[in-house]
């Protein structure tokens, strides 16, 4: 009898909520690394907060904020090589920025422009996936190709707790294990799929244990501890690169904000719950450690925030200033070459555009 | 319209305890558009279910619920996600009656918002009705206003067959319209003549109906008398209403949001060219989404059927 | 870390390959019960062999034989109540016969007649599912309805090892556990999905452990031991009836014949492998036990075989003699009432039929 | 035809090491119809993969393989199972180019047998091409004979877009036809005039082409000159070939196996009624599957388009 009640559950943690941890384990992280991780998380938080505000001001379209999930995103992305492949959902903005997505491009995206969809050449990020869990299969295929070509790159599928309920997640996990390909399934369990809480999503105590169904290893990590996330991810990535196959990582975290700017979380969760999680904020605990080590001051914080704010403003303005695409462009990205009937439609649109002048 | 839909479900749930509601975020949250608002509070956890995030699961379990005596109303959060449930809809629900040679039926309603013009992310705006009108065993209903939405939804809920009920998202809050408080039904398979006219027939459904009606009203001022037909139901189809109008005007325009090629407009045009060919005095015009994926928000208004394109189409028709 | 390599694996077995077992455990089964189980398995085997032969003679259409899986099918079906619901795939012929499907009806089915699709009223068997794993969701919904209505019936989804790779299986397991409904997932792991062997299907050592991904219990049972299958199934069914929710049962067995009559298994497996499994035949081991107890003789065997053969012949002849449906009937089972355009098509077909006479 | 398909894959795999084959039972077993027979033996376990039983998984991983430089040929064992992969085909593969604004493309070929007349169980005979011709970004190819099958498949493999390659199961072993040994291509999007004629145009694809050709030949003896056009590709569509023939004959029949309502025949009829209306001297006739689920083997021959129905249709057309 396989009894889920008897599975031992451990959570990997290095830095606790108050910035404390086992000194021997902490010693593995250089000051430089700690500063970098903190700076990246702070940058991500500032960008997220700005984007949220800009959406409220009507400057950008619907936006899915990630505040609270910085450690999971930055910690995992820090463990990757530039040539590794990332398959994000809509919430992995911090991951994408770390992995080379220009901030200006993201503005194109949230302004609903076609140009927002094109990653620069050489940035190995697959277009943001809207269909929950569909990208997990693409990541497996991509990793499979790396393996067949003998290339050392790892693919990472990012997804949420809700995504684990979809059939595609299951098929992806199974294919990955059967073909033993270098893919990491990185789940940010932020406790909610829009309004649906974890306990309504699955009766499984953890997501990590779902790996057992595929003969795969699964790890549960404190997703608000950037050190633990990095360490876990690094080990998984190295194992995958060595040909040891896929792994599932569950990063336990929390979405502090709404699901998207169209969502009102007060409909489905109590403020006290949010407060409990605020105490576990990933930035706060690392900052406590840095301060204790005398590595970070209020002045540095202010300077960083100001700098990122300028960066955001500049990126936004550059996006606004660049020419917006038109309906005409749409026809160019359907096939390698537009079939006759489609080309006719494009002509019709161009004629109409010309007649009515540039709008 | 969203209130009319909510009211239809509430009243039917009061009438029939077998009716349950399930889907993503339909409970506490009351649906991402508030279509199911208040249902959990009124009917409790035994009637309204927030499901795990799995569309095939939602439809597949609804089938099992239905064959064992329940009457599930399932929500697919946006129609673009229905691809995940295609087998359960088109190969399972649609064929239960056939597969069991009549022993079982599958009275489920699948509600889903569809359509563009509201600046959604990718795959939230697709009009995919044609996938289902090509799937025998399914009924497909597409209301265009609150009154119809309520009456058609009640009919759909009472129907013995699986019904796909597609709600034009853009119209959810577009109307102020008095809707009778008491429950009422509108038979599935009856089109509605929105406006009578003699020169041109405009056939539309769902989101494009108010647009067609508006353009028709404007054209009236210019001396063009356009008849506007709201199909309301694509399956069963009120073919008599179409033919009657075509025989009167001889000029036909079909307006839908779905991509043109293989859209349900093709079927309507084909039926006309099969049964009323000699009534036509002009080639049939289809105004539809272009043959591309649904585009990005910044250009969607130019992609969707709009007044300009409809006027152009009418002018073309009148040239004959 | 959840490590699949560390999961202990046990197989429930009561009767071993040679018909031996722990006497205390065996004592729980009455002679009557043992005889009934044997008779049903033998009947099933005779029917299967006849159907296979009839297919080779061109008397029936494609057929998916189940020889080797009798213990799994009969053992599980014996643990059910008539009001319980069964959701079979194409291979559960023995299950369906046990649960009330008339043999004659099955002949209608394999002769490709519409009438073959209609179970008699009161027989709670859902139509044979062709789409692998799709029925698992129907079973969950049906069980959910039983729970909502407060009825004590259990639903059973039958499926194979291959089916566990489909997304629908995953979604069904997850829904079942979340809503804690009275459904049993009964997997006959017969080692192959057509030509694909278990090891290419999943990297998981067992199917039973897949239950852990859903917070569900999973049991691995010797599927060629009808006593173990019955006992395991009975416990699962009773627990489900008590409201304790779903369970996954993996019955380890083997498909001795081809996948279907259209399949040539010599393309993908060696005769020695089949021989190994023949030694584990579910009928043989129970017969050894019966003989040891003096409950069964060669004469009884011959009489039973003859009787079943007569039964098959009679059912076949009755099916042949009954009127075959025509294309006209097809139109009556699409909607509760045929829409105008469909009714027109029916008329067209009827006119054509009349004109050309009955063909 | 099955040999031609096998040969096309083999020769292309010899040419391009990026090509791999994956699907259920395509390895050891060589495919349930032997389409991939011998490929595993020749190219080894690094090029030919028996996959787990999961259609969405097959297409979804093929996409990932393709964007990272491989050229996968995936098999869906029977087209009726493609519903399970609808999202990965219509919402993913089809939109990769669009979604990445041209950064990525998705050169995969999805082969699948389809069509009736061979006494299969349920959902093994469905003709579902219309689901994909309504999905921009996909190409849809449907050969009707061994020569075309080889040339079209090689083109599909070399194409930069996702191609659905639908093989009429009934024709797998229906021909003895000499097929050139060397690799050759037939451009996607060119119809073929199977037989010239002046009185009636019969438009068909895949399985119904030989049937239409046979009836046309028989009608010739009765003094009716029917032109038969094999579309070969539905997307891109050779619309010029259709118009040219319609302008010549003025009488059009479309023959396909898929259910009539919403089938690709509707699109062809709609296009004609849009662009060649005044060339028509008779209403367009569609001979297709009826609007029911694909039926049971005992009656399928009466359900499918057959000679009797085609002759009837021609007679109807000639009455005008
Ligand atoms: C197939 C599909 N179904 C439903 C949705 C609608 N939807 C968007 S986000 C979301 C919740 C996702 O939850 P989770 O996977 O936990 O990710 P999170 O948003 O928490 O990061 C839902 C239901 C979708 N985009 N795709
Ligand atoms: C969705 C789907 N994919 C593929 C098939 C084709 N097919 C029929 S049976 C089968 C193998 C099933 O294997 P398993 O689940 O182990 O059951 P078994 O046949 O061994 O009883 C396959 C691939 C199908 N019927 N449905
Ligand atoms: Mg979440
Ligand atoms: Mg099997």
């Amino acid at each position: 009898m396989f009894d889920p009640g008897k599975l031992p559950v451990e959570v990997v943690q290095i830095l606790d909520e108050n910035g404390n941890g086992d000194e021997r384990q902490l010693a593995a992280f250089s000051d430089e690394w700690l500063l970098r991780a903190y700076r990246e998380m702070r940058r991500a938080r500032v960008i997220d907060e700005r984007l949220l505000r800009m959406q409220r001001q009507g400057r950008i379209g619907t936006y899915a904020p990630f505040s609270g999930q910085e450690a999971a995103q930055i910690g995992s992305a820090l463990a990757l090589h530039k040539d590794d492949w990332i398959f994000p959902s809509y919430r992995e903005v911090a991951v994408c920025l770390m992995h080379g997505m220009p901030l200006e491009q993201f503005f194109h995206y949230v302004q609903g422009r076609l140009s927002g969809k094109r990653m620069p050449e050489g940035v190995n990020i697959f277009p943001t996936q809207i269909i929950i869990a569909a990208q997990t299969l693409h990541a497996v295929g991509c990793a499979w190709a790396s393996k067949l070509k003998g290339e050392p790159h790892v693919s990472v599928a990012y997804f949420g707790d809700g995504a684990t309920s979809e059939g595609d997640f299951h098929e992806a996990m199974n294919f990955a294990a059967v073909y033993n390909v270098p893919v990491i399934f990185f789940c940010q369990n932020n406790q909610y799929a829009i309004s649906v809480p974890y306990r309504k999503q699955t009766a499984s105590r953890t997501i990590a244990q779902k790996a057992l169904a595929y003969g795969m290893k699964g790890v549960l990590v404190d997703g608000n501890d950037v050190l633990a996330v990095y360490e876990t991810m690094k080990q998984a990535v190295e194992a995958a690169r060595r040909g040891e196959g896929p792994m599932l990582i569950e990063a336990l975290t929390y979405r502090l904000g709404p699901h998207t700017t169209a969502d009102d979380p007060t409909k489905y969760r109590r403020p006290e719950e949010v407060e409990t999680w605020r105490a576990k904020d990933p930035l706060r605990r690392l900052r406590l450690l840095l301060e204790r080590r005398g590595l970070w001051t209020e002045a540095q914080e202010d300077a960083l925030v100001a700098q990122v704010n300028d960066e955001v403003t500049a990126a936004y303005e550059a996006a606004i200033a660049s020419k917006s695409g038109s309906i005409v462009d749409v026809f160019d990205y359907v096939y390698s070459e537009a079939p006759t009937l489609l080309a006719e439609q494009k002509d019709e649109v161009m004629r109409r555009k010309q007649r009515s002048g540039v709008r | 319209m969203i209130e009319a839909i909510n009211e239809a479900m509430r009243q039917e749930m009061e009438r029939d305890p077998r009716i349950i509601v399930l889907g993503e975020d339909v409970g506490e949250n009351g649906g991402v558009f508030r279509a199911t608002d208040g249902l959990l509070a009124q009917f409790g956890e035994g009637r309204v279910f927030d499901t795990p995030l799995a569309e095939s699961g939602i439809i597949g379990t609804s089938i099992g619920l239905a064959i064992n005596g329940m009457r599930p109303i399932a929500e697919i959060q946006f129609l673009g996600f229905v691809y995940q449930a295609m087998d359960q809809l088109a190969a399972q629900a649609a064929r239960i009656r056939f597969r069991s040679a009549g022993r079982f039926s599958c009275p489920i309603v699948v509600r889903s918002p569809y359509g563009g013009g509201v600046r959604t992310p990718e795959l939230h705006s697709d009009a995919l009705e044609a996938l289902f009108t090509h799937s025998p065993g399914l009924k497909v209903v597409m209301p265009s206003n609150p009154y119809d939405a309520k009456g058609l939804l009640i009919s759909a809920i009472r129907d013995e067959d699986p019904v796909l009920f597609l709600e034009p998202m853009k119209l959810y809050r577009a109307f102020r319209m008095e809707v009778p408080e008491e429950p009422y039904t509108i038979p599935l398979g009856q089109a509605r003549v929105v406006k009578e006219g003699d020169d041109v027939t405009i056939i539309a459904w769902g989101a494009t109906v108010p647009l067609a009606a508006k353009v028709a009203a404007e054209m009236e001022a210019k001396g063009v008398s356009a008849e506007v037909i709201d199909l309301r139901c694509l399956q069963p189809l009120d073919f008599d209403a179409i033919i009657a109008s075509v025989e009167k005007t001889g000029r036909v325009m079909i307006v839908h949001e779905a991509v043109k090629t293989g859209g349900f407009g093709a079927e309507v045009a084909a039926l006309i060219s099969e049964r009323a060919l000699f009534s036509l005095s002009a080639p049939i015009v289809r105004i539809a989404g272009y043959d591309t994926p649904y585009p990005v928000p910044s250009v969607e208004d130019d992609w969707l059927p709009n007044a300009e394109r409809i006027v152009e189409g009418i002018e073309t028709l009148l040239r004959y």
Side-chain angles (χ1 to χ4, degrees), chain A, chain B:
Chain A
M1 163 90 75
F2 295 97
D3 185 343
K6 300 205 175 120
L7 281 178
V9 174
E10 303 158 20
V11 186
V12 180
Q13 193 192 56
I14 295 177
L15 201 62
D16 74 11
E17 296 180 20
N18 300 315
N20 300 317
D22 179 279
E23 283 306 325
R24 256 201 337 248
Q25 278 189 298
L26 288 179
F29 297 88
S30 68
D31 288 351
E32 253 166 306
W33 190 93
L34 294 174
L35 276 169
R36 170 144 194 242
Y38 183 74
R39 287 182 158 276
E40 292 293 356
M41 288 204 289
R42 172 56 65 196
R43 172 171 182 256
R45 170 86 41 110
V46 172
I47 291 172
D48 191 59
E49 288 172 348
R50 275 292 294 282
L51 285 164
L52 198 59
R53 237 175 306 139
M54 291 171 96
Q55 197 285 333
R56 303 286 185 216
Q57 297 160 345
R59 302 211 212 173
I60 63 170
T62 311
Y63 173 66
F66 57 82
S67 276
Q69 304 181 208
E70 291 87 352
Q73 297 202 17
I74 299 294
S76 58
L78 277 169
L80 297 175
H81 187 276
K82 191 177 175 318
D83 288 335
D84 292 330
W85 283 86
I86 286 185
F87 292 78
S89 84
Y90 45 84
R91 207 180 297 287
E92 276 74 57
V93 181
V95 172
C96 293
L97 289 169
M98 278 277 329
H99 206 65
M101 175 180 74
L103 184 54
E104 181 189 333
Q105 193 206 318
F106 190 64
F107 275 110
H108 286 247
Y109 182 76
V110 284
Q111 283 168 0
R113 301 190 191 179
L114 202 51
S115 48
K117 292 177 174 278
R118 192 182 175 104
M119 267 317 140
E121 216 63 42
V123 175
N124 284 350
I125 304 178
F126 208 59
T128 299
Q129 182 58 252
I130 294 297
I131 297 300
I132 302 295
Q135 77 277 19
T136 58
L137 282 166
H138 307 161
V140 173
C142 184
W144 193 356
S146 296
K147 181 175 174 174
L148 291 174
K149 293 191 290 180
E151 291 171 357
H153 314 142
V154 167
S155 298
V156 186
Y158 279 92
F159 54 95
D161 42 312
T164 64
S165 295
E166 285 282 3
D168 276 358
F169 164 75
H170 173 73
E171 301 187 12
M173 291 283 288
N174 192 44
F175 272 64
V178 166
Y179 297 113
N180 200 45
V181 301
V183 66
I184 312 295
F185 294 92
F186 192 90
C187 179
Q188 291 173 75
N189 178 356
N190 64 4
Q191 314 301 328
Y192 285 91
I194 307 187
S195 73
V196 180
Y198 183 76
R199 85 193 136 74
K200 288 190 181 180
Q201 196 64 247
T202 175
S204 175
R205 189 150 156 229
T206 70
I207 284 167
Q209 79 196 54
K210 290 179 188 279
L212 297 173
Y214 311 95
M216 195 192 290
K217 287 181 184 156
V219 190
L220 178 60
V221 59
D222 180 343
N224 284 6
D225 172 0
V226 69
L227 281 62
V229 171
Y230 172 78
E231 199 49 42
T232 304
M233 185 70 168
K234 207 179 69 171
Q235 283 175 26
V237 167
E238 280 171 4
R241 248 193 259 290
R242 282 194 304 269
E244 290 170 24
M247 197 177 299
L248 170 65
I249 298 175
E250 173 184 5
L252 221 50
T253 181
Y254 195 78
R255 189 194 78 208
L256 291 170
H259 168 67
T260 68
T261 47
D263 176 51
D264 172 11
T266 64
K267 288 277 284 184
Y268 54 81
R269 67 185 190 188
R270 287 168 313 127
E272 302 89 81
E273 181 185 299
V274 184
E275 285 320 306
T276 318
W277 278 93
R278 259 190 217 292
K280 304 186 191 182
D281 190 302
L283 274 68
R284 182 175 161 275
R285 64 175 83 173
L286 182 52
R287 187 166 167 186
L288 286 172
L289 176 67
L290 292 178
E291 285 175 354
R292 237 188 4 259
R293 294 201 181 172
L295 296 169
W296 195 250
T297 63
E298 193 67 32
Q300 280 173 298
E301 178 90 6
D302 293 345
L304 176 59
V305 170
Q307 177 202 320
V308 177
N309 268 317
D310 289 349
E311 184 195 355
V312 174
T313 308
Y316 172 72
E317 281 171 1
I320 289 289
S322 79
K323 207 166 133 291
S324 184
S326 96
I327 177 74
V328 178
D329 308 327
V330 163
F331 297 88
D332 298 337
Y333 300 121
V334 188
Y335 295 98
S336 54
E337 205 181 316
T340 324
L341 290 172
L342 186 61
E344 274 185 26
Q345 294 183 358
K346 182 177 175 181
D347 289 346
E348 175 200 317
V349 163
M350 279 170 54
R351 266 202 317 278
R352 193 172 307 121
K353 275 272 164 213
Q354 272 157 11
R355 214 181 41 213
S356 53
V358 179
R359 291 201 281 200
Chain B
M1 184 143 138
I2 198 84
E3 289 88 4
I5 289 166
N6 184 277
E7 188 170 83
M9 285 191 276
R10 189 163 44 73
Q11 292 178 341
E12 284 297 286
M13 288 180 81
E14 284 166 356
R15 181 186 62 78
D16 185 345
R18 298 171 305 167
I19 298 171
I20 62 172
V21 164
L22 70 164
E24 296 157 11
D25 306 290
V26 300
E28 298 283 354
N29 204 34
V32 292
F33 290 105
R34 305 283 176 259
T36 54
D37 211 22
L39 299 182
L40 178 64
Q42 181 173 351
F43 299 101
E45 301 228 317
R47 303 279 300 277
V48 180
F49 299 91
D50 277 323
T51 63
L53 210 174
E55 289 72 19
S56 188
I58 293 169
I59 307 300
T61 54
S62 293
I63 293 169
L65 283 157
I67 58 141
N68 196 1
M70 306 303 289
R71 313 277 300 199
I73 306 177
E75 178 176 305
I76 296 291
Q77 201 163 70
F78 289 87
L79 188 57
F81 314 155
V82 82
Y83 285 121
Q84 299 289 28
M86 274 302 285
D87 177 71
Q88 289 293 348
L89 267 170
Q92 305 296 330
R95 305 186 194 208
I96 297 295
R97 185 184 293 280
F98 191 82
R99 185 175 298 158
S100 64
R103 161 88 193 274
F104 297 110
S105 61
C106 187
I108 68 176
V109 175
V110 179
R111 294 179 39 253
S112 190
Y114 87 95
V118 293
R119 311 282 176 266
T120 62
E122 205 193 346
L123 279 157
H124 284 64
S125 293
D126 293 50
L128 302 175
E129 65 270 21
L131 303 180
F132 302 100
T133 49
H134 191 51
S135 301
L138 296 180
K139 292 180 176 169
V140 181
V141 180
M142 296 175 80
S144 71
N145 63 66
Y147 179 85
D148 284 0
K150 180 171 173 183
L152 290 167
L153 183 51
I154 293 182
S155 293
I157 293 170
R158 296 183 187 176
D159 202 273
E160 291 304 319
D161 293 310
V163 180
L164 202 64
F165 192 85
L166 304 183
E167 305 165 1
M169 206 186 306
K170 191 180 170 175
L171 305 185
Y172 269 155
R173 299 176 198 285
F175 290 90
R176 286 290 102 206
M177 186 188 206
E178 280 304 312
V179 169
E181 221 184 282
E182 66 282 5
Y184 57 93
T185 59
I186 297 174
L188 304 187
Q190 286 188 6
R192 181 175 66 97
V193 178
V194 179
K195 170 183 172 307
E196 301 206 0
D198 300 313
D199 301 334
V200 191
T201 298
I202 307 181
I203 299 168
W205 52 90
T208 55
V209 173
L211 173 67
K214 186 163 153 276
V215 175
E218 286 164 13
M219 293 302 277
E220 199 75 31
K222 297 190 192 149
V224 178
S225 165
E227 178 145 311
V228 178
I229 297 184
D230 177 356
L231 291 183
R232 302 203 287 199
C233 250
L234 306 192
Q235 177 62 268
L237 180 66
D238 187 352
F239 192 65
D240 293 335
I242 296 174
I243 292 293
S245 184
V246 172
E247 283 174 351
K248 179 165 65 172
T249 66
R251 291 177 176 81
V252 183
M253 170 187 295
I254 303 161
V255 190
H256 62 67
E257 283 199 6
V259 297
K260 184 181 177 195
T261 295
F264 192 71
E267 182 58 40
V268 174
L271 281 169
I272 293 170
S273 70
E274 198 171 279
R275 293 160 185 240
L277 183 75
F278 299 122
S279 303
L280 290 177
S281 34
I284 297 173
V285 169
R286 284 183 285 163
I287 307 286
Y290 295 109
D291 288 330
T292 76
Y294 192 93
V296 286
S298 65
V299 301
E300 67 179 327
D301 292 340
D302 286 335
W303 187 90
L304 287 166
N306 56 27
E308 185 182 4
R309 290 173 65 193
I310 295 177
V311 170
E312 244 180 53
I314 294 178
E315 284 163 0
T316 307
L317 282 169
L318 292 175
R319 230 170 276 136
Y320 289 87

